[in-house]
């Protein structure tokens, strides 16, 4: 089976080498559609042996992705963005899957590197080079609509997924920096689509979440609730709808409704890894409400899903600290630090607990490390912590 990488790019010279390097020994063909780069993007793509084509950007992601598909010659198509890379551990499983005769589409787990809220999502980025598979929607372009049509006519096909993280997305931090401009473009594109597809659960989920993120809570809740009524048995979209309703009600301090929506999300029969965000946020709500036992259970469930979730270990440590279980809290902070050695808050709270237990030397070492890390990213917190230690006569 010949596997083709298919991409659309623009001014991606900083991230493209890592992306293409991750698939260098995996794909048989690299198809790159450039939408107007003015940097070294095209040069880099050529250096990796890509077939580079040009396309004039028209504010429609689906149009660009469908144009790129025209140049693909492989039996299977892998779609990546330039700020994504293929996880090497998934390669054997991926290669086995594309040789299975029954699969039309294989969903992949994507991890948002640096995100602490909901780091995992399922994306439809690996599919058979079928003549009737195409991208739809001007923003958040995806092939799911065309795949659904094919399945209704050709029921012999199946949709599968690979277990474990397949795509690492490192653009999370960049997105935060560019979020105002990005949000405006996304909102305009999705509102235009919603006007002609008012009950589409996918756009209700994405646009509703965007409204909540930008402070339009009531508009977001209305749209997300509409999506819930039309999603039927599309459990992956239902999860997103319930998850973002949980966020929306948390923003307006309606903890009862927020908890109910996170619990509804968790009960859905979806890939367990995707539920991590809901369990973590549920734990945060219980902790805020003072229900430490239920917070502990929620964080423990999150860590059963992903034992390498540093934020989960930290949150569990904070809960155990509040319960007076200091030795257990120390173990959690140490696990968080072992996964993320630059976790300033974990060092800081480790220092607090060690001080409570009378281990002054280890406490000061933890505080010192916290201050050093805070100096890089949050100098005000570093100063506050240093001043507090001075007032206690510890330094």
């Amino acid at each position: 089976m010949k596997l083709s990488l298919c991409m659309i790019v623009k001014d991606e010279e900083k991230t493209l080498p890592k992306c293409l390097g991750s698939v260098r020994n995996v794909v048989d063909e690299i198809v790159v559609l450039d939408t107007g780069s003015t940097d070294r993007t095209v040069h880099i793509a050529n250096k990796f042996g890509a077939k580079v084509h040009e396309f004039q950007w028209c504010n429609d992601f689906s149009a660009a992705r469908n144009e790129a598909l025209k140049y693909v010659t492989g039996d299977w198509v892998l779609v990546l963005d330039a700020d994504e890379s293929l996880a090497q551990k998934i390669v054997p499983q991926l290669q086995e899957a594309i040789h299975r005769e029954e699969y039309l589409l294989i969903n992949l787990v994507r991890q948002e590197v640096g995100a602490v809220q909901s780091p995992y999502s399922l994306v439809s980025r690996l599919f058979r080079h079928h003549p009737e598979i195409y991208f739809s929607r001007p923003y958040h372009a995806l092939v799911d609509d065309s795949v659904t049509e094919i399945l209704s006519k050709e029921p012999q096909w199946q949709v599968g997924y690979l277990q474990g993280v397949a795509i690492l997305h490192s653009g999370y931090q960049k997105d935060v920096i560019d979020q105002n401009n990005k949000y405006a473009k996304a909102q305009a594109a999705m509102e235009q689509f919603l006007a002609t597809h008012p009950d589409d659960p996918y756009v209700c989920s994405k646009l509703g979440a965007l409204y909540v993120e930008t402070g339009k809570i009531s508009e977001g809740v209305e749209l997300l609730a509409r999506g819930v009524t039309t999603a039927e048995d599309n459990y992956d979209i239902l999860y997103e709808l319930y998850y973002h309703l949980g966020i929306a009600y948390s923003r307006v301090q309606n903890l009862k409704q927020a908890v109910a929506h996170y619990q509804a999300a968790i009960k859905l029969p979806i890939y367990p890894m995707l539920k991590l965000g809901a369990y973590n946020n549920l734990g945060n709500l219980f902790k805020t409400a003072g229900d430490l036992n239920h917070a502990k259970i929620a964080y423990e469930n999150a860590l059963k899903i992903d034992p390498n979730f540093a934020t989960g270990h930290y949150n569990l440590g904070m809960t155990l600290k509040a319960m007076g279980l200091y030795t257990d809290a120390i173990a959690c902070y140490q696990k968080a630090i072992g996964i993320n050695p630059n976790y300033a808050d974990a060092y800081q709270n480790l220092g607090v607990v060690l001080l409570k237990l009378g281990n002054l030397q280890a406490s000061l070492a933890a505080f010192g490390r916290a201050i050093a890390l805070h100096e890089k990213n949050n100098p005000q917190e570093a100063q506050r912590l240093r001043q507090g230690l001075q007032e206690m006569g510890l330094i």
Side-chain angles (χ1 to χ4, degrees):
M1 285 291 175
K2 183 179 177 182
L3 176 62
S4 300
L5 175 69
C6 187
M7 305 179 66
I8 61 172
V9 298
K10 182 181 180 181
D11 294 335
E12 303 286 0
E13 66 177 9
K14 293 182 179 178
T15 56
L16 192 58
K18 182 178 179 181
C19 174
L20 296 182
S22 74
V23 300
R24 187 200 298 264
N25 299 316
V26 181
V27 302
D28 303 289
E29 173 185 62
I30 298 174
V31 174
V32 171
L33 189 76
D34 186 76
T35 62
S37 293
T38 57
D39 63 2
R40 298 177 64 253
T41 292
V42 171
H43 172 76
I44 292 168
N46 284 323
K47 191 175 178 181
F48 276 87
K51 299 175 182 177
V52 181
H53 304 272
E54 295 183 358
F55 181 75
Q56 186 171 351
W57 182 244
C58 59
N59 295 318
D60 188 328
F61 282 91
S62 288
R65 292 203 184 276
N66 288 328
E67 179 69 16
L69 275 181
K70 293 178 182 178
Y71 302 105
V72 167
T73 63
D75 305 293
W76 279 83
V77 182
L78 171 67
V79 176
L80 292 177
D81 291 332
D83 57 3
E84 296 173 337
S85 59
L86 186 69
Q88 297 307 295
K89 288 183 179 179
I90 208 72
V91 171
Q93 194 183 153
L94 183 154
Q95 291 173 331
E96 188 274 333
I98 64 175
H99 283 86
R100 299 269 293 270
E101 294 183 357
E102 69 270 26
Y103 287 144
L104 178 66
L105 168 73
I106 300 171
N107 286 308
L108 305 176
V109 175
R110 183 174 80 159
Q111 179 180 357
E112 301 285 347
V113 179
V116 296
Q117 277 289 323
S118 185
Y120 301 113
S121 59
L122 207 60
V123 292
S124 48
R125 300 288 200 83
L126 181 62
F127 50 87
R128 198 175 288 273
H129 191 198
H130 189 289
E132 294 181 36
I133 288 185
Y134 60 90
F135 288 90
S136 59
R137 304 161 189 270
Y139 199 87
H140 289 298
L142 71 171
V143 297
D144 300 53
D145 296 332
S146 64
V147 167
T148 299
E149 291 179 18
I150 294 170
L151 292 174
S152 66
K153 297 182 293 185
E154 303 175 22
Q156 75 273 17
W157 295 117
Q158 293 181 24
V159 174
Y161 66 86
L162 301 187
Q163 296 190 11
V165 173
I167 298 175
L168 300 168
H169 180 220
S170 59
Y172 176 77
Q173 295 88 345
K174 184 181 74 172
D175 288 348
V176 171
I177 296 170
D178 298 334
Q179 66 183 7
N180 290 335
N181 188 38
K182 180 183 177 183
Y183 286 167
K185 290 182 178 179
Q187 181 176 320
M190 286 190 283
E191 285 176 342
Q192 185 176 2
F193 185 84
L194 182 70
T196 53
H197 303 78
D199 296 318
D200 183 279
Y202 185 82
V203 76
C204 285
S205 171
K206 295 299 183 184
L207 183 56
L210 181 60
Y211 282 153
V212 172
E213 182 67 22
T214 55
K216 301 176 182 176
I217 307 296
S218 59
E219 294 96 325
V221 167
E222 187 276 326
L223 210 50
L224 293 166
R226 188 197 307 177
V228 169
T229 63
T230 59
E232 297 178 351
D233 59 351
N234 194 326
Y235 299 125
D236 291 329
I237 292 179
L238 262 177
Y239 173 84
E240 287 197 14
L241 290 161
Y242 283 129
Y243 176 82
H244 288 292
L245 279 166
I247 291 176
Y249 282 109
S250 297
R251 295 275 174 90
V252 295
Q253 303 299 310
N254 189 335
L255 300 188
K256 184 177 180 181
Q257 282 286 349
V259 167
H261 283 103
Y262 283 132
Q263 289 175 330
I266 287 166
K267 290 177 183 176
L268 291 169
I270 62 171
Y271 187 32
M273 204 170 195
L274 305 181
K275 300 181 182 182
L276 181 68
Y279 274 120
N280 186 61
N281 288 3
L282 190 58
N284 293 343
L285 290 177
F286 283 135
K287 185 171 176 293
T288 299
D291 187 347
L292 299 179
N293 285 321
H294 279 102
K296 178 175 175 287
I297 292 169
Y299 293 136
E300 287 172 343
N301 282 327
L303 291 168
K304 287 177 185 175
I305 292 172
D306 183 4
N308 291 315
F309 184 40
T311 302
H313 288 292
Y314 171 77
N315 287 337
L316 180 57
M318 295 296 286
T319 303
L320 294 169
K321 184 181 81 168
M323 298 171 78
L325 302 173
Y326 297 140
T327 302
D328 292 337
I330 287 171
C332 288
Y333 294 139
Q334 289 174 334
K335 285 179 182 177
I337 290 166
I339 297 165
N340 177 10
N342 296 317
Y343 209 142
D345 288 338
Y347 275 109
Q348 185 168 334
N349 283 280
L350 176 61
V352 171
V353 176
L354 288 168
L355 188 61
K356 287 180 180 291
L357 293 177
N359 192 339
L360 181 60
Q361 185 176 355
S363 172
L364 290 176
F367 282 133
R369 183 63 180 147
I371 290 171
L373 290 168
H374 280 314
E375 287 285 8
K376 297 178 181 178
N377 302 309
N378 189 357
Q380 288 183 329
E381 180 61 21
Q383 178 58 30
R384 190 196 68 78
L385 178 55
R386 188 183 294 107
Q387 184 176 341
L389 293 171
Q390 288 172 344
E391 289 173 355
M392 289 189 288
L394 296 177
I395 60 174

